Amino acid sequence: MKKVKRNILLNPGPATTTDTVKYAQVVPDICPREDDFCDVMQSVVSDLTNLVADTQEYTTILFGGSGTASVEAILSSVMNDGLIVIINNGAYGKRMCEIADAYQYDWVEFKSLSYQPLQLDLLSDFIRKLPRKVAYLAVVHHETTTGLVNDVESIGAMCKENEIELMVDAMSSFGAIPIDMQRMNISYLAASSNKNLQGIAGVSFVVANKCKLENEKSKNTPNYYLNLHAQYKYFYETGQMRFTPPVQTIYALQQAIQELKIEGIKERYERYSELWDTLIEGITRLGLKHLVQVQHHSKLITAIVEPTAETYDFKSMHDYLYAHGVTIYPGKPDRLNTFRIANIGDLTKNDMKHFLNLLETYFKSIGIHPTKGGVDHEESGYG
Ligand SMILES: Cc1ncc(COP(=O)(O)O)c(C=O)c1O
């Protein structure tokens, strides 16, 4: 197997993949309605479900699309007949609000800061004081905007007490941070193939409680391609997706899942955490700070406060690193002046050290010099 040129992706997904995952896409052409391909999809569905729930009670519904497709499939198929509370503490919470708005649903926003833990007592109070009964609550598990983890288990318990159906966008936590849908009282969960699963982009999926899917089958939904019930029913009856699936991406996902099983979720998270420790040690040495406190941090994606030196410019830093095979990502939150580094994917400690060395060289080239005890603020202009 010829090695593929390796790029170090420190953007928050699609993540760096193994060559075996890339090559798993090179297969004989096949019609996706053939039993052989249905078997591949069935194994992917069982394995994905098994990562977060009991396969007797839950199942996975696959879509061809980016992660947003599965979030929209849940919102547009399930949450259309009652008041929805959407927690917005970052760009992806905001996106769910935009989706609910696009479908003209009955929704209200609970806003919270993207870099501080959500206050559950305020959320409970907010829900209690609403003039109407809340039917659904939507939250992002890991806000990729900053690296903040929302305490889904406590939110799930609160939903149970108040008979609220919970949906979770687990796009950037799935496959790394342990999830138990039953224990956490999650009815619907959205994720995709290309982050911690280390697969290729193009498969979006929903893990759902089968009973709930059955019960809500007759709902009149304002969607078509993203109709969760129709997709579930068709797959259940035929073993196929309703429309053309991303065939080769699904082969790659099957391989990526095998590799996750071999590594283990716990071990993958430990590897990611070690990469994070290396990252934090390195940026601290360079005098940089990150936004989210350690106890609420995913240790997967980090929003780092940008230097205030006049010579600093994100684009030129990005271009320098990119020319050396390392991709970084701009910040999301408005006004916070951050850039983002993800430590997910098929990465090693040496990759992270390589990035940190490049970053130090780049900083020196624009006149930012770390001192022994950290950065010299006056000279460097770090904030
Ligand atoms: C938490 C979260 N939700 C949704 C998405 C959207 O995924 P996509 O860009 O694949 O549509 C992302 C992507 O980074 C994400 O991190």
Side-chain angles (χ1 to χ4, degrees), residues 23-258:
Y23 276 115
Q25 297 175 98
V26 185
V27 286
D29 295 325
I30 186 166
C31 167
R33 306 220 177 265
E34 290 300 328
D35 286 348
D36 284 346
F37 189 71
C38 294
D39 292 345
V40 174
M41 284 201 288
Q42 189 54 63
S43 83
V44 164
V45 160
S46 309
D47 285 341
L48 289 175
T49 311
N50 209 20
L51 289 172
V52 291
D54 176 356
T55 49
Q56 296 295 315
E57 290 180 40
Y58 293 77
T59 191
T60 295
I61 300 103
L62 303 174
F63 289 94
S66 83
T68 306
S70 54
V71 176
E72 185 165 341
I74 299 173
L75 284 164
S76 62
S77 303
V78 178
M79 304 175 113
N80 59 355
D81 62 352
L83 180 61
I84 319 168
V85 170
I86 301 177
I87 297 177
N88 172 0
N89 57 352
Y92 298 100
K94 182 165 173 256
R95 186 171 298 179
M96 292 198 289
C97 295
E98 287 165 3
I99 294 171
D101 216 25
Y103 284 91
Q104 300 188 331
Y105 283 165
D106 186 13
W107 66 281
V108 285
E109 178 182 35
F110 177 80
K111 257 192 141 176
S112 179
L113 290 172
S114 61
Y115 50 90
Q116 275 177 9
L118 188 145
Q119 288 182 267
L120 208 66
D121 50 341
L122 293 187
L123 174 66
S124 299
D125 248 29
F126 177 82
I127 288 174
R128 205 162 27 83
K129 287 183 182 149
L130 285 169
R132 279 164 301 138
K133 159 105 185 76
V134 176
Y136 306 102
L137 189 139
V139 65
V140 175
H141 188 194
H142 167 213
E143 238 320 332
T144 320
T145 314
T146 53
L148 180 71
V149 177
N150 284 319
D151 179 1
V152 166
E153 186 150 4
S154 302
I155 294 171
M158 194 268 289
C159 286
K160 196 168 206 165
E161 258 174 46
N162 293 283
E163 294 177 341
I164 297 170
E165 202 94 86
L166 175 63
M167 81 138 281
V168 174
D169 170 350
M171 212 64 63
S172 56
S173 55
F174 194 96
I177 302 178
I179 295 171
D180 179 336
M181 286 182 66
Q182 196 153 25
R183 208 188 65 229
M184 294 173 159
N185 189 38
I186 304 170
S187 302
Y188 301 93
L189 178 139
S192 69
S193 50
N194 54 262
K195 293 191 193 283
N196 307 320
L197 282 173
Q198 298 184 184
I200 305 293
V203 179
S204 199
F205 58 91
V206 174
V207 189
N209 182 295
K210 284 187 205 170
C211 275
K212 290 191 197 296
L213 277 177
E214 292 289 339
N215 290 341
E216 303 204 21
K217 231 167 21 192
S218 57
K219 263 190 180 176
N220 232 344
T221 63
N223 54 15
Y224 185 74
Y225 183 82
L226 294 176
N227 188 312
L228 197 60
H229 308 110
Q231 190 83 341
Y232 165 67
K233 187 167 177 278
Y234 195 83
F235 189 79
Y236 186 75
E237 287 171 2
T238 66
Q240 301 169 13
M241 273 162 78
R242 277 193 302 156
F243 308 112
T244 311
V247 176
Q248 285 71 16
T249 310
I250 290 176
Y251 278 110
L253 180 55
Q254 187 185 39
Q255 175 64 26
I257 293 169
Q258 287 317 309

